[in-house]
Every structure is written in structure tokens, then in C-alpha cells.
Amino acid sequence: EDKVVQSPLSLVVHEGDTVTLNCSYEVTNFRSLLWYKQEKKAPTFLFMLTSSGIEKKSGRLSSILDKKELFSILNITATQTGDSAVYLCAVEARVNTGKLIFGQGTTLQVKP
Amino acid sequence: NAGVTQTPKFQVLKTGQSMTLQCAQDMNHEYMSWYRQDPGMGLRLIHYSVGAGITDQGEVPNGYNVSRSTTEDFPLRLLSAAPSQTSVYFCASTTGGLNIQYFGAGTRLSVL
């Protein structure tokens, strides 16, 4: 059975800290891994990763995929209170279906 | 450009009632999906569609029906609501190339 597991499930840090969120997966036909940020409403897209070892960056956020060890990490440097959210990892495991398998999510709280 | 539109935003039902959650997208996306989100469980796929007239079951399809008569619309029907269907429901759509799913704002459903 395909599955995606995120850790930790929740995290509390202070502004300025650096955090690392983890996502491991077991799927039969891996195509891509996606990270989303969810703040009370709909998830919004952050990154899509398809190739191993290539870092994607957007400002203070970055992510990398290791297809050999079947995991990805999402790093947030110099955290701000606006980074408080649920971070979701999802894997596309079948081509041309539009299906995503989501992990449980990591709830990040950044305190002033 | 509205993106993915879900209605209603909130709904309270009594056990045994039926209702339809509406989802429409104006991006001409082929693929559409319905997810439910429960605390600590990420998003779980209910049903998905790869095009008009084609639907398939996801991870948690029991108690839900879907149809896809047009590219734009993908309604989700609850035939006989149960308290276990209390959840937040998200509709998403994506193109067939890069599976970056765009989410609606969600419907918060309570079944009493």
C-alpha cells in the first residue's frame, strides 16, 4: 500500500529559528513529490520535486529529494510568525491520474 | 480567473439527509479530485476524475458518489449523511502534465 509519512507531527519554535520538516514515502510508481502550505484554508503549492539531489528554493524555504532513500526535507530558515501553518507533503504515485497521496501534515507554530 | 470554486462553504446536516457539494473550475483542467481532511490525518482522496465521463474511487469512497458530465464541474454527493462524514472537504484540479493541484477554499460539513 502506498503511503507518505511526515515528521514531526507538530513543532513549536521561536522567530529566527531554522526548522527541518521530514517526509518519507513508500510508493510503487513514484513520479513526483510536492510540498504544500495550509493556513486555515486551502493548501497552497510550494514545491514540486522530481529529481534526486536538486534543491528547490523560494526565499527562506528550500526542499530537496532523495529518491534512493525515499525521503524529502523542507527547510525554513529565519522563521517568522507568518510561517505558522500546516505543511503537507504529497506524492504522485501513478502517471496521468491526478491522484496525490498526502502525509498527515506537520503543524508548525512560530512564536514571537 | 476564479480557479476552483466550492459551494457551500459551511453546511450542517442531520443524519440520513442527502446533499451535494459543488465544485467548478475554469482552468480547463482535465483532472479533478475530492479530498476530506480530518484532524491529524492530512488529506485523504475520496474520488477522482481524469476527464468528463470518467471517475474512479480513491482511498475513502464509501458513502460518496461523484459524476463528471462536463470538464468544469465535479459534484460530490452524500447519499445518506453519517456523523463520520463530519469533515472539511476540498476539491482540487490539475492539468495532465505537471500534477500541481489547485484547491478550492473547502466546505466544512457537520453531520449531527
Side-chain angles (χ1 to χ4, degrees):
Chain A
E1 181 182 340
D2 295 336
K3 66 178 179 180
V4 177
V5 177
Q6 292 185 243
S7 64
L9 295 181
S10 65
L11 193 56
V12 180
V13 301
H14 288 92
E15 274 192 315
D17 288 348
T18 294
V19 298
T20 298
L21 310 183
N22 303 292
C23 176
S24 63
Y25 60 91
E26 292 179 29
V27 298
T28 50
N29 290 299
F30 176 87
R31 189 184 184 205
S32 64
L33 184 145
L34 297 90
W35 284 96
Y36 284 85
K37 178 182 182 181
Q38 186 177 24
E39 299 172 90
K40 299 201 183 294
K41 291 190 176 179
T44 55
F45 172 76
L46 293 174
F47 299 112
M48 170 183 271
L49 301 137
T50 57
S51 300
S52 216
I54 298 176
E55 186 181 46
K56 293 283 184 85
K57 291 194 74 170
S58 176
R60 296 176 294 103
L61 278 66
S62 64
S63 183
I64 196 161
L65 174 68
D66 186 327
K67 289 171 75 172
K68 182 178 177 184
E69 299 298 330
L70 308 183
F71 78 91
S72 172
I73 60 172
L74 175 68
N75 277 323
I76 309 174
T77 59
T79 52
Q80 302 171 357
T81 55
D83 295 325
S84 296
V86 176
Y87 290 84
L88 296 163
C89 172
V91 170
E92 182 185 10
R94 283 177 61 192
V95 177
N96 293 334
T97 64
K99 289 176 61 176
L100 291 178
I101 302 165
F102 281 84
Q104 318 96 300
T106 294
T107 301
L108 173 65
Q109 182 183 359
V110 182
K111 292 187 172 181
Chain B
N1 191 342
V4 180
T5 303
Q6 287 184 239
T7 56
K9 288 185 169 48
F10 302 95
Q11 183 70 48
V12 179
L13 293 177
K14 294 181 180 179
T15 298
Q17 287 185 314
S18 63
M19 79 159 294
T20 299
L21 279 62
Q22 301 292 344
C23 176
Q25 54 94 5
D26 61 2
M27 297 175 282
N28 203 31
H29 285 170
E30 294 175 73
Y31 304 150
M32 297 184 75
S33 305
W34 275 103
Y35 297 87
R36 60 177 289 173
Q37 187 173 33
D38 302 295
M41 299 189 76
L43 284 93
R44 292 183 292 168
L45 183 65
I46 305 171
H47 286 284
Y48 66 101
S49 169
V50 299
I54 306 170
T55 64
D56 205 349
Q57 296 181 351
E59 182 185 356
V60 288
N62 292 340
Y64 308 95
N65 275 359
V66 292
S67 59
R68 183 100 180 270
S69 56
T70 67
T71 300
E72 293 77 21
D73 299 299
F74 190 41
L76 178 73
R77 280 179 285 276
L78 282 71
L79 303 176
S80 178
S84 61
Q85 293 178 305
T86 293
S87 188
V88 180
Y89 291 85
F90 288 101
C91 177
S93 73
T94 182
T95 60
L98 293 177
N99 190 15
I100 299 173
Q101 298 211 0
Y102 296 89
F103 287 84
T107 295
R108 185 173 294 274
L109 175 68
S110 293
V111 183
L112 306 177

